[in-house]
C-alpha cells in the first residue's frame, strides 16, 4: 500500500526529462539519412513486419502507432522506414540504447541530483541550482531570454496562440511572483540549457516537465512533445489534476483505484477532493488515506534519488505460439544464452562501476497443455546471486525447476511435461557498490560465496518475486544492501523473507584481509573466468525485511484532454534549436547563466558502428495461448525491471501500464527533424 510522505519543501524544483521517440533517435543518429523520415524501430521478431516499439513523430503524424506491426504501419504510411533492433545471442540487444541513455544521464547530472528512472527517463532535483540562479540573476533584470526558454509551456497561462512567447517572458520575469514561481522560472532556464547541452553533445532531443515534485514533473513532461518543456506553477496544480481519471494515477491502477471507484464513487482525481483526510484514513488506514489526500492535491514528498546507474540488469526473451519451449533441455539452452548475457553485463558493471548484484531472479510465462487452471502464473523465483556465467546458469536452472514444480503442482522430472514456456528472463538486482578500501574484490566474492553457495539451493531458499515487487517496503527497515532501492512510497509493513549478505557480514569475514591496492587486476582475474571459491555452507542468514517499493512509468493518457486543450491554443514551434544551431547565435543576455544557453558547439562526430540486423519471427498468440499475461499487478511492477525485459515483453507490460501514452503526445505536424540541418547529417555520415 502506498504511504504518504511529508513534502520536504513546496519550493523544490524537480524536472522529469523524457527522451523523444528514443530508440528511433538512436537509430537516426547512426543512420542520419533517416532523420526527418517516418521511421520506426521494430522488434527482433519479424512476424508481420515486426512489432513497433518506437515510432518517430513524422510517422505518428501519418497515423502510425506503436501497437501496430511493420506490415500495418506500411499500409498507413508506405514510406515508413523500419529499423530492427540490434541482435546478439539470437535475441534483441538493447545495449546501444542503454549506452545512449547513459550519455544523456551524464549530461543531465551536471546540474543537480539525478535519478535514472528508466532507459530514457531521468528525474533531476534542481532546487539548489535554481536557488543559486535566483540569488545571482534576478530574472526581471534579464534583457533577453533564449528562445528555448521562451518556448516553454506554462500551465497557468491562457493564450490565444500568437503571443505565447511574450506571455511566457512576462511570466518568467514577473516582479510580483512568489518565491516558488520564481524558482520554477529559474528551473525552466536550467532545464532549457540542459536540453540544449544534450542536443549538442548527443544529438538527441528530449522533453521535460518542471514542477515542485516528481509526480507533477512526470505528468507534465509528456504534455508537450517532442522537444519542448512544460512548467507546472503551484496555482495550476488543481486544474492539472482534477480531470485525471483516478485509475490512471500512479499506484491507483489496481485494487486501490478500483476500490475508490466502487466504494467511494471516485472516478477522477477531482472526485477525490471532496473526501476529508479523516474519511480517507477511516477507509484505507492512516498511511494510505493520507497518501490519497495528498495525491488529490498534488502533494508528494518523494525524493529524487541520486542514482545514475540502473538498479538491475536483466536478459529475457519471448517464445510465443509454436516457438514455446517445451522441454527442460530447450529451457536450459536459452537460459545459458540469457545467463551469459546477464553475466557479461554484471561483470562490465563490476569493472566500470565497482558494483555487485546480490539477487538473481527468474521470471517465466508459461501455459499447461491441459489448461485446467490457466489462471495460475508461473511463480518468479529468486536466490542469492553468484558471479560467473556458469554459476548463474546453474542457479537459474534450479530456479526454473523450482518454479515449474510449483506451477505444475507436482514434481517434474521428465523432459516433456505438457507445458510450454512463452517468456523467460533472468535479472540481477540489489546492486550495491563494493566497499572500497576494506577488502579485495576477490575476497569479497569468496566471502559472498560462503554465504551464497547454490549447490544446495532448495525451494525454501527461493524467494517469491511477488514479494520482491510488493509495493510495501518501509523505509524504516532498509536492508544493509538495499541502499539503491527505490523508496518513493513506503507502506504498511509486509515483511518478506529476504536473503542477506550484508557488508557487515562481508567485512567481518574479511576483517583480517588487507585492502587491495589493485582492484583492476582482481577484476580482470574475475573476468577471466577464475571464479571465486565456493564453500557450500548452510550458514546463509535469512532476514525478515519489509517488501520492496514498486515503481512504474506513469500512465499519462489521463492528461490528454488537458494537454489537447492546451495544444489547441498553443502553437509553439519546435524549430528554435534548429535556428540556434543554424544561425550560431541566439538572443543575448548579459547574464552568465543565460549566455551559457547561447554557446554553440559543432555536433560531435562520432564513429558509428554498423548495425547488425537479423530477424526472427515470434508471432503473437498463434496457438491461442495468451502470451501477454504477466504475473504482477500494474502497481507492483518495478520500472527498472520492465526496462530490462526484452522489447517484446516491455511492450506488453508498458502497453498495459499506460496504453494511451502515444495519443497523448502526438502533436500534428511535430517533428524533431527540424533540429538537424541536412549539412549536419551529411557531416556525420559521409558517403
Ligand atoms: P517511451 O519513453 O515510452 O517512448 P518513446 O521514447 O519511444 O516516445 P515518446 O517520445 O513518446 O516518449 O519508451 C522509450 C523507449 O523504450 C522507446 O523508444 C522504445 C522502448 N520501448 C519498448 O521497447 N517497448 C515498449 O513497449 C515501450 C513503451 C518502449
Amino acid at each position: 500500500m502506498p504511504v504518504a510522505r511529508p513534502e520536504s519543501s513546496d519550493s523544490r524544483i524537480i524536472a522529469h526529462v523524457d527522451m523523444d521517440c528514443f530508440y528511433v533517435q538512436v537509430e537516426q543518429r547512426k543512420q542520419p539519412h533517416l532523420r526527418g523520415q517516418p521511421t520506426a524501430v521494430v522488434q527482433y521478431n519479424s512476424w508481420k513486419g515486426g512489432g513497433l516499439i518506437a515510432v518517430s513523430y513524422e510517422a505518428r503524424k501519418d497515423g502510425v502507432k506503436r501497437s501496430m506491426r511493420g506490415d500495418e504501419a506500411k499500409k498507413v504510411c508506405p514510406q515508413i522506414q523500419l529499423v530492427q533492433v540490434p541482435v546478439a545471442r539470437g535475441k534483441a540487444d538493447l545495449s546501444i540504447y542503454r549506452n545512449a541513455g547513459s550519455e544523456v544521464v551524464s549530461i543531465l547530472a551536471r546540474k543537480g541530483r539525478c535519478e535514472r528512472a528508466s532507459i530514457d527517463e531521468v528525474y533531476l532535483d534542481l532546487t539548489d541550482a535554481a536557488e543559486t540562479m535566483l540569488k545571482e540573476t534576478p530574472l526581471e533584470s534579464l534583457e533577453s531570454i533564449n528562445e528555448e526558454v521562451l518556448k516553454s509551456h506554462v500551465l497557468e497561462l491562457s493564450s490565444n496562440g500568437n503571443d505565447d512567447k511574450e506571455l511566457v517572458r512576462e511570466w518568467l520575469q514577473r516582479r510580483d511572483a512568489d518565491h516558488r514561481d520564481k524558482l520554477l522560472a529559474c528551473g525552466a532556464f536550467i532545464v532549457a540549457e540542459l536540453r540544449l547541452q544534450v542536443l549538442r553533445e548527443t544529438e538527441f532531443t528530449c522533453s521535460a516537465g518542471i514542477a515542485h515534485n516528481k509526480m507533477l514533473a512526470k505528468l507534465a513532461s509528456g504534455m508537450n512533445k517532442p522537444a519542448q518543456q512544460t512548467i507546472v506553477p503551484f496555482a495550476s496544480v488543481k486544474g492539472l489534476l482534477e480531470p485525471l481519471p483516478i485509475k490512471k494515477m500512479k499506484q491507483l491502477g489496481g485494487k486501490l483505484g478500483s476500490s475508490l471507484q466502487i466504494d467511494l464513487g471516485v472516478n477522477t482525481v477531482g472526485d477525490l477532493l471532496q473526501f476529508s483526510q479523516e474519511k480517507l484514513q477511516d477507509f484505507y488506514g492512516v498511511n494510505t488515506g493520507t497518501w490519497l489526500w495528498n495525491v488529490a492535491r498534488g502533494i508528494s514528498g518523494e525524493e529524487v534519488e541520486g542514482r545514475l546507474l540502473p538498479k538491475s540488469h536483466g536478459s529475457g526473451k519471448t517464445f510465443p505460439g509454436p516457438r514455446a519451449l517445451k522441454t527442460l533441455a530447450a529451457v536450459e539452452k536459452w537460459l545459458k544464452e540469457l545467463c551469459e548475457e546477464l553475466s557479461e553485463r554484471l561483470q562490465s558493471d563490476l569493472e566500470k562501476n565497482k558494483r555487485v548484484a546480490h539477487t538473481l531472479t527468474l521470471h517465466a510465462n508459461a501455459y499447461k497443455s491441459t489448461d485446467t487452471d490457466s489462471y495460475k502464473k508461473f511463480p518468479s523465483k529468486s536466490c542469492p546471486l553468484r558471479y560467473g556465467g556458469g554459476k548463474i546458469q546453474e542457479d537459474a536452472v534450479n530456479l526454473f525447476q523450482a518454479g515449474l514444480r510449483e506451477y505444475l503442482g507436482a514434481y517434474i522430472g521428465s523432459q516433456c511435461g505438457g507445458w510450454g514456456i512463452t517468456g523467460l528472463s533472468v535479472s540481477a538486482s540489489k546492486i550495491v557498490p563494493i566497499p572500497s578500501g576494506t577488502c579485495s574484490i576477490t575476497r569479497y566474492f569468496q566471502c559472498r560465496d560462503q554465504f551464497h553457495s547454490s549447490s544446495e539451493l532448495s525451494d525454501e531458499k527461493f524467494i517469491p518475486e511477488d514479494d520482491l515487487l510488493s509495493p510495501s517496503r518501509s523505509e524504516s527497515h532498509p536492508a544493509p544492501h538495499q541502499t539503491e532501492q527505490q523508496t518513493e512510497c513506503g507502506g504498511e509493513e509486509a515483511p518478506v523473507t529476504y536473503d542477506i549478505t550484508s557488508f557487515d557480514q562481508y567485512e567481518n569475514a574479511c576483517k583480517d584481509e588487507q585492502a587491495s591496492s589493485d582492484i583492476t587486476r582482481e577484476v580482470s582475474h574475475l573476468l577471466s573466468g577464475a571464479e571465486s571459491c565456493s564453500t557450500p555452507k548452510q550458514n546463509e542468514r535469512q532476514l525478515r525485511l519489509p517488501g520492496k517499493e514498486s515503481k512504474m512509468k506513469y500512465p499519462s493518457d489521463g492528461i490528454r484532454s488537458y494537454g489537447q486543450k492546451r495544444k489547441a491554443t498553443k502553437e509553439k514551434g519546435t524549430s528554435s534549436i534548429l535556428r540556434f544551431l543554424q544561425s550560431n547565435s541566439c538572443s543575448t543576455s548579459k547574464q552568465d547563466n543565460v549566455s551559457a544557453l547561447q554557446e554553440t558547439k559543432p555536433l560531435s562526430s562520432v564513429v558509428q558502428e554498423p548495425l547488425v540486423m537479423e530477424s526472427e519471427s515470434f508471432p503473437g498468440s498463434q496457438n491461442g495461448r495468451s502470451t501477454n499475461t504477466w504475473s504482477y499487478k500494474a502497481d507492483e511492477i518495478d520500472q527498472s525491471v520492465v526496462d530490462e525485459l526484452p522489447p517484446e515483453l516491455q511492450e506488453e507490460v508498458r502497453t498495459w501500464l499506460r496504453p494511451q501514452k502515444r495519443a497523448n503526445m502526438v502533436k500534428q505536424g511535430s517533428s524533431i527533424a527540424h533540429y538537424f540541418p541536412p549539412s549536419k547529417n551529411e557531416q556525420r555520415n559521409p558517403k
Side-chain angles (χ1 to χ4, degrees), residues 127-190:
T127 312
D128 291 346
E131 292 274 12
T132 305
M133 180 176 176
L134 192 57
K135 269 188 216 128
E136 294 173 357
T137 314
L139 297 184
E140 54 267 26
S141 65
L142 292 180
E143 285 184 2
S144 75
I145 297 175
N146 186 278
E147 282 283 301
E148 196 54 36
V149 187
L150 295 177
K151 267 175 50 192
S152 301
H153 300 260
V154 185
L155 285 191
E156 71 184 357
L157 294 183
S158 63
S159 83
N160 53 17
N162 293 331
D163 53 357
D164 282 344
K165 286 182 188 159
E166 217 28 64
L167 282 177
V168 171
R169 181 194 299 277
E170 281 168 23
W171 187 87
L172 292 167
Q173 298 194 293
R174 280 178 311 160
R175 286 181 189 280
D176 60 348
D178 70 16
H179 184 67
R180 291 176 305 197
D181 278 359
K182 285 187 176 175
L183 282 179
L184 273 182
C186 292
F189 278 85
I190 295 163

Side-chain angles (χ1 to χ4, degrees), residues 342-407:
L342 181 63
S343 178
E344 273 176 23
R345 288 174 54 199
L346 284 170
Q347 290 182 334
S348 162
D349 199 352
L350 172 66
E351 189 173 20
K352 283 191 204 147
N353 309 314
K354 311 284 180 284
R355 299 197 309 163
V356 288
H358 284 260
T359 302
L360 173 69
T361 301
L362 178 127
H363 308 269
N365 279 354
Y367 67 83
K368 292 176 203 167
S369 306
T370 52
D371 219 10
T372 48
D373 51 355
S374 56
Y375 62 88
K376 195 171 170 185
K377 309 292 183 202
F378 192 101
S380 294
K381 295 284 181 186
S382 294
C383 71
L385 189 144
R386 298 184 303 153
Y387 272 65
K391 290 177 180 176
I392 294 175
Q393 189 195 339
E394 181 189 332
D395 294 346
V397 169
N398 285 336
L399 292 174
F400 175 80
Q401 289 182 327
L404 188 63
R405 279 197 291 275
E406 198 174 312
Y407 177 68

Side-chain angles (χ1 to χ4, degrees), residues 18-23 53-54 57 60 66 120 225 553 647 650-651 654 658 661-662 665:
D18 187 14
M19 306 309 292
D20 303 317
C21 55
F22 188 48
Y23 287 13
I53 53 176
Y57 280 82
R60 295 184 200 192
R66 180 142 62 187
D120 78 330
K225 276 199 149 224
K553 280 194 171 184
Q650 283 190 21
E651 185 168 27
R654 284 199 175 118
R658 47 172 196 172
K661 182 189 171 193
R662 298 284 80 68
M665 294 173 180

Side-chain angles (χ1 to χ4, degrees), residues 507-525:
E507 286 180 4
N508 285 339
C510 298
K511 64 185 174 219
D512 295 330
E513 289 296 317
Q514 286 186 333
S516 167
S517 59
D518 188 354
I519 281 178
T520 311
R521 176 170 48 78
E522 296 193 330
V523 169
S524 308
H525 173 68

Side-chain angles (χ1 to χ4, degrees), residues 13 60 137 308 333 358 389 406 442 475 571 610 671:
I13 300 302
R60 295 184 200 192
T137 314
L308 308 186
K333 172 189 167 293
H358 284 260
E406 198 174 312
T442 301
E475 282 184 296
E571 280 305 321
S671 163

Side-chain angles (χ1 to χ4, degrees), residues 87-102:
V87 171
R89 291 198 171 84
K91 56 185 281 301
D93 176 8
L94 305 183
S95 47
I96 181 180
Y97 310 120
R98 265 188 227 109
N99 295 340
S102 301

